[in-house]
Amino acid sequence: MKFFQLFDLTGKIALVTGCKKGIGMAMAVALAEAGADIIGVSASLELEGSAVEQAVKALGRSFKAYQADFSKRESLYEFIHAVKNDFPVIDILVNNAGSILRKPAAEHPDEYWDEIIDINLNAQFILSRELGKEMVARGSGKVIFTASLLSFQGGINVPGYAASKGAIASLTKAFANEWASKGVNVNAIVPGYIATDNTDALRNDPERSQAILSRIPANRWGVPDDFKGATIFLASEASSYVHGSLLVVDGGWLGR
């Protein structure tokens, strides 16, 4: 197989969670550019006519939209039942959906903690288990988590988010340890500081923003398109011997 064929996703079906905008949208479009048909889901994704749907269809690929609130277990299972019924084979699962709530640890309410853990961790585990078991049975599949720099660091004022992303790093390795021998690759992408809704509060704080920027060797905030290459790599045959890895896309932050 020639090297460029390793990245070809023609005929594959990819499910991308949290794909309405930002990193998730860039991931969905990248997979479509590589040839995959896309299933998209988020809490507020338009069922018809979304920006991500238009971008995917403009590439000649199909797009199917779902809405699901991953903070609610009933909504999550309703989605899983529907998508498995509509798509008996899902080749690629991108667990990108996530949320963040900011408040100092001493004031961080139970509701904040529960919501973030449900969306960022519990839903990711359940979705991966339910779709991953089908991949294991078939002997092939790709699962990609979106981790975070806070998989390695504690952050400030985001204890629930930090806990969830630290757990995602370990969950990636736990799934990989069990499924690598079954033909299923499980890995994670680790975004650095990216210009998305999740970082609005930081970028709008001149002091914090400058402090962060001064520590990024690339000397810029990342953008969603910076994740296209990593996504295609981990979703394709190019990463067939990559298991349990945390692929950092951070402009060099952790290298400091």
Side-chain angles (χ1 to χ4, degrees), residues 60-182:
R61 311 314 310 168
S62 67
F63 185 89
K64 172 67 175 178
Y66 295 85
Q67 286 184 353
D69 182 349
F70 283 5
S71 71
K72 295 179 171 56
R73 195 67 58 89
E74 182 180 0
S75 178
L76 172 63
Y77 274 107
E78 286 176 354
F79 164 67
I80 291 171
H81 176 77
V83 77
K84 289 179 72 171
N85 184 64
D86 293 342
F87 295 91
V89 175
I90 295 174
D91 302 289
I92 302 158
L93 168 62
V94 181
N95 282 308
N96 175 70
S99 188
I100 189 167
L101 293 172
R102 301 177 186 275
K103 194 172 280 288
E107 304 164 21
H108 210 79
D110 290 355
E111 310 87 72
Y112 276 28
W113 176 271
D114 290 343
E115 180 175 338
I116 296 304
I117 295 299
D118 278 336
I119 295 172
N120 293 7
L121 179 59
N122 294 341
Q124 314 297 327
F125 168 71
I126 292 169
L127 189 57
S128 299
R129 181 192 66 201
E130 294 304 304
L131 298 184
K133 67 175 65 174
E134 308 294 342
M135 296 178 181
V136 168
R138 292 194 307 271
S140 66
K142 302 279 187 173
V143 179
I144 303 169
F145 288 94
T146 297
S148 168
L149 290 179
L150 298 197
S151 297
F152 307 102
Q153 304 170 338
I156 299 171
N157 297 332
V158 288
Y161 183 84
S164 71
K165 292 302 185 177
I168 284 295
S170 291
L171 185 62
T172 298
K173 298 169 189 176
F175 275 128
N177 288 344
E178 295 190 34
W179 292 354
S181 65
K182 312 297 183 184

Side-chain angles (χ1 to χ4, degrees), residues 130-249:
E130 294 304 304
L131 298 184
K133 67 175 65 174
E134 308 294 342
M135 296 178 181
V136 168
R138 292 194 307 271
S140 66
K142 302 279 187 173
V143 179
I144 303 169
F145 288 94
T146 297
S148 168
L149 290 179
L150 298 197
S151 297
F152 307 102
Q153 304 170 338
I156 299 171
N157 297 332
V158 288
Y161 183 84
S164 71
K165 292 302 185 177
I168 284 295
S170 291
L171 185 62
T172 298
K173 298 169 189 176
F175 275 128
N177 288 344
E178 295 190 34
W179 292 354
S181 65
K182 312 297 183 184
V184 179
N185 297 78
V186 184
N187 296 285
I189 295 174
V190 181
Y193 285 93
I194 313 301
T196 65
D197 289 353
N198 273 3
T199 59
D200 275 346
L202 297 177
R203 288 182 291 115
N204 291 331
D205 180 331
E207 185 175 337
R208 290 290 306 281
S209 181
Q210 182 54 41
I212 289 168
L213 191 60
S214 69
R215 283 195 56 187
I216 301 174
N219 197 36
R220 68 172 175 87
W221 287 74
V223 295
D225 278 0
D226 288 325
F227 296 87
K228 285 187 169 185
T231 302
I232 294 171
F233 170 63
L234 291 179
S236 69
E237 286 303 306
S239 61
S240 62
Y241 197 58
V242 180
H243 297 276
S245 291
L246 306 177
L247 177 53
V248 180
V249 183

